[in-house]
Amino acid sequence: DIRNGSDTFGKYYGVILDSEKQNMFYIPEGFAHGFYVLSDEAIFTYKCTDFYRPDDEGGILWNDKEIGIDWPLAEEIKLIISEKDMKWKGLSQTCGL
């Protein structure tokens, strides 16, 4: 939750999406999202509220200690993090706190 003033600001909720269950996850406006693939391959589809504009893109450092996301298996496998995702700043810096 990156909505300044929200009671749950900076909190996260994690879920595993599964091809057998074919489950989906809705992320409303005002919430950041991140994911990584636990299998050899994955198909990931976004459905957005507006057209994609690269200049509007933002992000938060994937392993920001302030949020403290518990990434499953992160200690046991070699993560491949994109150059772009390594450059984001933490929650406080990103949300101007």
Side-chain angles (χ1 to χ4, degrees), residues 5 8 32 35 42 49 60 68 81 83 87:
T8 56
F35 68 94
T49 56
I60 299 168
I81 311 292
E83 215 174 288
K87 292 180 180 179

Side-chain angles (χ1 to χ4, degrees), residues 28-40:
E29 289 187 58
F31 291 78
H33 67 278
F35 68 94
Y36 76 112
V37 177
L38 297 171
S39 59
D40 290 335

Side-chain angles (χ1 to χ4, degrees), residues 2 32 58-64 67 85 88-92 94-95:
I2 57 172
I60 299 168
L61 187 62
W62 71 276
N63 62 348
D64 181 26
I67 300 172
D85 287 341
W88 297 123
K89 296 182 174 159
L91 179 69
S92 293
T94 301
C95 293

